[in-house]
Amino acid sequence: MVTLIGNVNIFRFCGDMLHVVAIIILLSYIWKSQSVFGISGKSQILFALVFTTRYVDLFTSFISVYTSSLKVVYIITAYVTLYLIYIKFRYTFDKSNDTFRAEILIMSSSTLAVFVNYELSPSEFCWTFSIYLESVAILPQFFMIIKNGDTERLIGYYLTAMGSYRALYIMNWMYRYKNEGFYESIAGNSGLLQSILYIMFLILYSKRNDFRLRVVRNQQKHTLLSEHTLLPQPSRWPGISMKV
């Protein structure tokens, strides 16, 4: 009998659905705006690499219809996103601000996967590499937003959904540890790192926006004071007007 869902708790299911929602938001933004401005192509390359290496067992290992369907969705949408960024809407791609050294993340994840793993085999290396790389794959997008100083509203929603998906996965691991005694140290620690990066970005981005808002307010205040000093001042003597 074919397994439809398998061992999926509510936290993992909600996390998976939020991940799918995040992808839909990103693709909707691109299609509606006919632009990829503000999207880091390097982050999307890293995510495509994550899904490709993690799901090399797509045709050799079957867990459930649910799991296999998600694997297919993640792989296809990752490469569709790359097509939209680098081919269809390449003229709107902000290449000048997508400058994060993504190759450093790939090399670091590869090295870590060689030395910190459960088993040094090709399939295990690919899985471990994908886990490590996913934890930092969003960094080029964060770097691009901080460099630009702002982001589109829907891209903000995309990042919110991605961060929420990771938070729910942490709850999934906590739930499994409590109810099943199961803990995946590599995935758990990498997911925790990814969540910390999202929190750090949110704090940094909020402080940056607060600073920019204070600067704008000070500039406006200075402009108003300057305009006030240039206004004609009333004469101290009745009947005599002052000319400026």
Side-chain angles (χ1 to χ4, degrees), residues 108-216:
S108 301
S109 299
S110 300
T111 303
L112 198 57
V114 170
F115 293 102
V116 184
N117 55 67
Y118 297 122
E119 178 186 346
L120 192 56
S121 64
S123 59
E124 189 68 23
F125 169 82
C126 287
W127 179 84
T128 308
F129 166 77
S130 74
I131 294 296
Y132 291 144
L133 185 60
E134 186 184 14
S135 67
V136 293
I138 200 67
L139 282 179
Q141 181 67 64
F142 288 165
F143 183 79
M144 189 177 191
I145 292 174
I146 292 174
K147 193 173 181 180
N148 283 336
D150 202 359
T151 187
E152 297 291 334
R153 178 171 52 87
L154 284 178
I155 296 178
Y157 292 160
Y158 161 73
L159 293 176
T160 300
M162 287 291 286
S164 301
Y165 137 68
R166 295 314 304 175
L168 282 168
Y169 252 66
I170 289 179
M171 297 176 71
N172 161 59
W173 295 320
M174 294 172 62
Y175 175 86
R176 294 193 65 185
Y177 179 75
K178 180 180 179 181
N179 292 276
E180 304 173 18
F182 175 83
Y183 178 69
E184 180 67 68
S185 59
I186 291 178
N189 294 335
S190 298
L192 181 61
L193 170 63
Q194 189 175 4
S195 299
I196 291 173
L197 290 177
Y198 273 93
I199 294 171
M200 290 177 63
F201 167 74
L202 179 61
I203 294 173
L204 181 62
Y205 184 69
S206 299
K207 287 185 176 180
R208 182 185 178 91
N209 280 350
D210 288 343
F211 175 76
R212 290 177 60 199
L213 183 61
R214 287 197 299 270
V215 170
V216 170

Side-chain angles (χ1 to χ4, degrees), residues 61-92:
S61 176
F62 178 81
I63 299 175
S64 66
V65 173
Y66 172 82
T67 302
S68 296
S69 299
L70 284 180
K71 290 179 180 181
V72 172
V73 168
Y74 293 153
I75 293 174
I76 291 177
T77 54
Y79 285 98
V80 167
T81 304
L82 291 181
Y83 165 76
L84 295 175
I85 293 174
Y86 288 104
I87 298 178
K88 187 171 182 62
F89 300 121
R90 63 185 181 278
Y91 298 112
T92 64

Side-chain angles (χ1 to χ4, degrees), residues 210-226:
D210 288 343
F211 175 76
R212 290 177 60 199
L213 183 61
R214 287 197 299 270
V215 170
V216 170
R217 286 176 176 173
N218 288 335
Q219 289 176 343
Q220 292 175 342
K221 183 178 180 180
H222 178 73
T223 302
L224 289 173
L225 289 174
S226 299

